Amino acid sequence: RETRTGLSSQESKAELELFKSSLKKTEDELAKIKDTCRHNPNQQELAEIIESQIVFLNDPIFRAKVVERIQLNFESANLALSTAVSSLYEEFQNIPDPYFRERADHLLDIGKRLETNLSDVSEQNQDLNSILPESCILVAKEITPSEMITLDKSKITGIATDYGGKTGHMAIIARNFGIPTIVGLKNITS
């Protein structure tokens, strides 16, 4: 999708409806992941992580930041979303407490899901599990908690990421599955 500013009033209304639709689709996806985890006694903690993401998604401050940018700045939904997520992520990164600072991964996860649902491009939803080789070390800029939950952990022997912290939910999920993980390497993907 094209990121734009200077939208007409009518275009702005359409972008607002697109954002609302993306919110609904994203909440439905997260609820489905949560339900899958809830049915497995070993994944109750994962269900709680996804529940906390649903809470973030429904946060009125988060939603208001995006809506305000669409309505007052006449920005496209994806530009408004990207700007709002970046702003909130930066705020979280400036929190002195590392526990709360590392919850910023939720914002990125939610932002990614919303962005995918805004663009509604089917190839973006390609199943990563179908291309993961057996016994691989997964190297990535970041892996969000919901991505980590849906990955086929039997194929992953290790994880290294540029971003993240040892108390971040992605790292916690990996540890729960006994996957050695190194996070916050800054330039492992370079």
Side-chain angles (χ1 to χ4, degrees):
R1 281 187 39 87
E2 184 180 13
T3 55
R4 297 178 44 212
T5 58
L7 300 177
S8 69
S9 178
Q10 188 174 353
E11 289 172 317
S12 187
K13 286 179 186 173
E15 290 295 305
L16 186 57
E17 289 308 310
L18 182 62
F19 175 63
K20 289 178 182 177
S21 172
S22 178
L23 284 168
K24 173 73 173 120
K25 186 173 181 181
T26 300
E27 186 167 5
D28 290 348
E29 288 172 356
L30 291 172
K32 184 177 177 184
I33 294 169
K34 182 181 88 171
D35 287 344
T36 301
C37 292
R38 284 227 188 272
H39 289 84
N40 183 334
N42 298 329
Q43 294 187 348
Q44 293 303 307
E45 184 179 18
L46 305 182
E48 292 169 11
I49 290 170
I50 293 300
E51 179 61 38
S52 69
Q53 288 196 352
I54 293 170
V55 170
F56 265 106
L57 180 68
N58 288 308
D59 180 73
I61 294 170
F62 169 68
R63 288 180 176 218
K65 281 186 180 266
V66 179
V67 169
E68 180 180 291
R69 295 195 71 84
I70 294 170
Q71 290 180 327
L72 301 179
N73 296 2
F74 299 99
E75 294 177 352
S76 61
N78 53 330
L79 178 59
L81 173 66
S82 175
T83 305
V85 167
S86 293
S87 170
L88 287 168
Y89 181 79
E90 203 170 293
E91 287 177 34
F92 265 77
Q93 289 299 304
N94 290 324
I95 295 174
D97 185 324
Y99 176 83
F100 288 106
R101 191 171 52 245
E102 290 175 5
R103 299 291 82 79
D105 59 355
H106 288 295
L107 292 171
L108 297 177
D109 198 352
I110 291 164
K112 236 184 201 182
R113 280 187 175 276
L114 285 167
E115 189 176 324
T116 297
N117 290 332
L118 280 173
S119 60
D120 201 29
V121 178
S122 60
E123 64 258 19
Q124 285 185 344
N125 295 325
Q126 180 184 16
D127 184 12
L128 180 59
N129 290 320
S130 67
I131 60 172
L132 268 180
E134 295 293 326
S135 299
C136 72
I137 296 176
L138 190 56
V139 178
K141 284 194 176 295
E142 66 184 344
I143 301 171
T144 64
S146 66
E147 288 171 333
M148 187 65 207
I149 287 170
T150 58
L151 285 172
D152 182 351
K153 271 95 44 214
S154 69
K155 293 182 176 182
I156 303 170
T157 58
I159 297 173
T161 64
D162 286 338
Y163 304 109
K166 64 182 178 184
T167 62
H169 282 143
M170 186 284 295
I172 292 169
I173 295 166
R175 265 195 309 276
N176 283 345
F177 283 94
I179 301 170
T181 303
I182 302 172
V183 294
L185 294 171
K186 306 222 186 310
N187 60 2
I188 190 71
T189 59
S190 298

